[in-house]
Amino acid sequence: MELSSTLQEEFDIVVRRNPGEAEFHQAVREVLESLAPVIDKHPEYVESGIIPRVCEPNRQIIFKVNWQDDRGRVHTNRGFRVQFNSALGPYKGGLRFHPSVYLGIIKFLGFEQIFKNALTGMPIGGGKGGSDFDPKGRSDNEIMRFCQSFMTELSGHIGADVDVPAGDIGVGGREIGYLFGQYKKLTGRYESGVLTGKAIGIGGSRARTEATGYGTVYFANEMLKLSGESFDGKKVVVSGSGNVATYAVEKVNQLGGTVVAMSDSAGYIVDESGLDFEQIRELKEVRRGRISEYVDANPSARFIADGSIWDVPCAIALPCATQNELNIGGARALIKNGCTLVAEGANMPSTPDAIRAFTSNGVRFAPGKAANAGGVATSALEMQQNASRDSWSFDHTEARLHEIMVGIHARCYETAEEYGTPGDYVMGANIASFLRVADAMMALGVI
Ligand code: NDP
C-alpha cells in the first residue's frame, strides 16, 4: 500500500536511522499504512512529532552474557532489552532466546508490543528483550547458568514499576524461575511484580501458560460469531508446537474444532482424525521432545519434513510459530483449499503480501497484535495479583482473559467501522491502539 507523503517521509527516516533491520521496518510500515485517516483527523499528532517519537525506542540496552557449559567451556552471547515506550505504564514485553535474535528482531517485537499492550486497555507500556543464545539441546544447569548471567546484567534496568519482562520463544516458566531467582539474590528483595510468567508457587498467575493460545482462539471465535459460525466441526491448522500453539490446540478442541496439523522448525505432522492435546502437552512440556515424535505413538499421523504446513486443507489457520512463517505461497495454498479465517497467535507471522492476498480474497484476518494479546493481558493480571499479594483461581482468571479478548475484538471491529474500513482488523487494531498511545504521549508533554 502507498503511504501519504507525510507518512512516507517518516518511514524513510526510520529506514535510514535503523539500517539492516528488515523486520523492524516491516512492523513500522504496517502500522503507518493504517494511519492516514488518523492524521487527517488529528493533525496535532503530526505537529507534536508523535510518529517519530513512537518509532524511536526510549532506551536500547545491549550487553555481553558470558556463561559456562557443562564441560566447562566458556560461551559469549549477546543480550538485549529495548525499552520502547512507557506512555501507558511500565515497559512490558517478553524475552526471546533464539539464535536468530539481533537488535532488529527485538525492535520489531518491542514496537508491536506498544500497540498490543495499548489494545488490552491495561496500564502497560511496550518493551522487548532477549538473546541470540540457543537453548536447544542445553541441559537444565546450562539454561540456569545462562539465565543467571543474563539477569546479572539486566537486573539494573528492570523493576515492578520500571520494566517487567516475561517469556517468548525459548523462554518459559523454567527460564523465568531462574531469572527471578537471580534477581532476588542480586537485589535481596522478593519483588514478585518484576517478572511475569512465573510458576504458581513463586507468584505466578493461573492461566498465564494457557493465555496466549486461548486468547487467540477466543478472538477467532468472536470473528466467527459475527457470521453465526463457531469452531464446532471445523478443521484447524496450528503452526508451531510451543507454548502458544499447544494451548491454542486445547481451546480449539474445547470449542468443538479439530486440529489436523502442527509443526516445528523441522517439519509438520498431520492427522485427519485430529491431534491429541494431552499427548502434545506431555511431549512438548514434560519431555521437551520434537513434534515428529508424536507419530511414534499415533499410526494415523504422518510427519512431513520437506513441505509446507499451509498445504494442509483447513477452514481456519492459526500461525503460532514465528515471524514471516506464512508467505504468499502459503496464503495462496490456504485460499485455494477453502480457508476462510486466519488469526495470528505469533507476532507478525504473515508477510505483507500474504495479508493482502487474504483481504483481497475475502479471508477474515486477525493480526497478532490483537489476536495474541491475551498473553500480555494475563501478565498484567499477574502484576495485579502480585501488587495485592493475591492469587486468583483458574476459572476467575480465565473469565477475565475471555472478557479482555472480547473487548479487544470489539475495539478493533468498531474502530475499523468508524474509520470506513469495516471488517479490516489490521486497520482497527492499529488505529485503536495508536490513538490510546498518542493521547497518553500528548498528555505527558514532550519528555
Ligand atoms: P516457543 O518457544 O514455546 O515455541 C516456538 C515454536 O515455534 C516452536 O515450535 C518452534 O520450533 C517454532 N519456531 C520458532 N522459530 C521457528 C522458525 N524460524 N521456523 C519454524 N518454526 C519455528 O514460543 P511461543 O509459543 O512462546 O511463541 C510463539 C510465537 O508467539 C512467537 O512469535 C512469539 O513472539 C509469540 N507470542 C508469544 C507469547 C507468549 O505468551 N508466549 C505472547 C504473544 C506472542 P522449534 O522448536 O523447532 O524451534
Side-chain angles (χ1 to χ4, degrees):
M1 190 199 271
E2 292 277 299
L3 291 171
S4 69
S5 59
T6 308
L7 291 165
Q8 183 67 48
E9 272 169 38
E10 300 292 5
F11 181 64
D12 291 343
I13 294 170
V14 169
V15 172
R16 214 166 40 240
R17 295 183 86 182
N18 303 277
E21 297 178 357
E23 297 83 0
F24 178 49
H25 304 163
Q26 185 182 335
V28 171
R29 187 170 179 108
E30 193 241 338
V31 171
L32 296 188
E33 281 181 356
S34 301
L35 295 186
V38 179
I39 60 170
D40 278 351
K41 205 165 165 183
H42 297 278
E44 69 276 15
Y45 293 153
V46 175
E47 283 149 26
S48 303
I50 294 293
I51 292 171
R53 283 161 62 197
V54 88
C55 292
E56 181 69 16
N58 290 4
R59 190 171 294 110
Q60 307 180 51
I61 303 149
I62 304 180
F63 51 93
K64 180 168 70 173
V65 188
N66 291 328
W67 59 282
Q68 262 182 310
D69 67 23
D70 289 342
R71 292 192 288 164
R73 252 196 333 228
V74 176
H75 299 259
T76 299
N77 284 101
R78 191 170 278 180
F80 302 90
R81 187 71 185 166
V82 172
Q83 299 178 331
F84 225 115
N85 188 294
S86 57
L88 292 171
Y91 305 104
K92 180 89 199 86
L95 299 172
R96 174 176 292 192
F97 293 169
H98 193 272
S100 64
V101 164
Y102 76 107
L103 186 59
I105 293 273
I106 300 299
K107 276 159 74 176
F108 119 63
L109 290 164
F111 184 75
E112 287 279 288
Q113 197 81 46
I114 305 170
F115 302 102
K116 179 190 310 198
N117 293 4
L119 276 178
T120 67
M122 296 163 113
I124 40 180
K128 199 83 188 188
S131 173
D132 57 2
F133 169 68
D134 187 358
K136 264 201 208 94
R138 292 292 171 195
S139 70
D140 261 8
N141 277 328
E142 289 174 324
I143 299 283
M144 181 176 74
R145 283 195 292 276
F146 177 81
C147 288
Q148 289 173 341
S149 181
F150 184 88
M151 181 52 84
T152 300
E153 183 68 32
L154 185 68
S155 59
H157 304 285
I158 60 175
D161 294 320
V162 181
D163 181 356
V164 183
D168 190 78
I169 291 179
V171 179
R174 171 181 60 169
E175 290 74 17
I176 294 292
Y178 294 148
L179 291 162
F180 182 54
Q182 181 73 351
Y183 183 85
K184 185 172 91 63
K185 177 168 176 143
L186 289 167
T187 60
R189 289 198 309 273
Y190 206 105
E191 188 186 334
S192 303
V194 71
L195 286 162
T196 60
K198 301 179 293 294
I200 308 298
I202 54 171
S205 173
R206 290 185 178 79
R208 174 62 188 90
T209 307
E210 293 82 356
T212 310
Y214 278 19
T216 302
V217 176
Y218 283 143
F219 194 98
N221 200 40
E222 290 303 298
M223 295 165 79
L224 290 169
K225 277 190 199 163
L226 291 170
S227 53
E229 295 174 87
S230 74
F231 270 92
D232 201 23
K234 292 205 166 52
K235 278 190 186 169
V236 182
V237 164
V238 178
S239 66
S241 49
N243 169 261
V244 179
T246 301
Y247 290 96
V249 170
E250 183 179 31
K251 189 50 76 182
V252 168
N253 287 348
Q254 287 174 3
L255 296 182
T258 303
V259 177
V260 292
M262 287 182 88
S263 62
D264 62 21
S265 57
Y268 68 92
I269 55 167
V270 57
D271 187 344
E272 287 298 319
S273 63
L275 300 173
D276 184 281
F277 161 72
E278 260 315 320
Q279 284 190 48
I280 299 278
R281 197 193 64 77
E282 202 268 337
L283 169 63
K284 295 299 301 178
E285 277 190 4
V286 183
R287 288 194 275 142
R288 296 186 187 274
R290 308 294 299 158
I291 201 66
S292 55
E293 295 166 41
Y294 181 87
V295 304
D296 300 344
N298 294 278
S300 58
R302 282 175 302 130
F303 175 68
I304 293 142
D306 54 352
S308 162
I309 190 172
W310 310 120
D311 288 338
V312 178
C314 63
I316 297 172
L318 305 177
C320 295
T322 194
Q323 65 276 354
N324 293 329
E325 56 162 316
L326 203 180
N327 61 19
I328 183 70
R332 287 196 185 119
L334 285 169
I335 294 163
K336 182 168 91 50
N337 289 329
C339 175
T340 63
L341 191 152
V342 176
E344 296 185 329
N347 284 312
M348 209 169 75
S350 312
T351 58
D353 49 0
I355 299 173
R356 276 193 293 277
F358 292 138
T359 42
S360 58
N361 283 279
V363 176
R364 290 159 286 183
F365 175 77
K369 65 168 72 72
N372 72 32
V376 74
T378 309
S379 277
L381 299 179
E382 183 172 335
M383 290 163 73
Q384 283 184 28
Q385 292 169 76
N386 292 152
S388 58
R389 300 191 189 282
D390 202 354
S391 178
W392 305 342
S393 70
F394 189 96
D395 288 350
H396 175 70
T397 319
E398 195 193 344
R400 292 285 307 270
L401 166 67
H402 181 249
E403 187 187 357
I404 290 166
M405 293 313 297
V406 170
I408 295 173
H409 175 271
R411 212 162 292 143
C412 295
Y413 185 80
E414 285 158 16
T415 307
E417 294 240 307
E418 187 188 333
Y419 279 80
T421 52
D424 187 334
Y425 288 91
V426 173
M427 288 291 279
N430 286 337
I431 295 174
S433 57
F434 179 83
L435 289 171
R436 187 160 180 247
V437 176
D439 286 344
M441 289 173 72
M442 297 284 282
L444 291 164
V446 180
I447 48 170

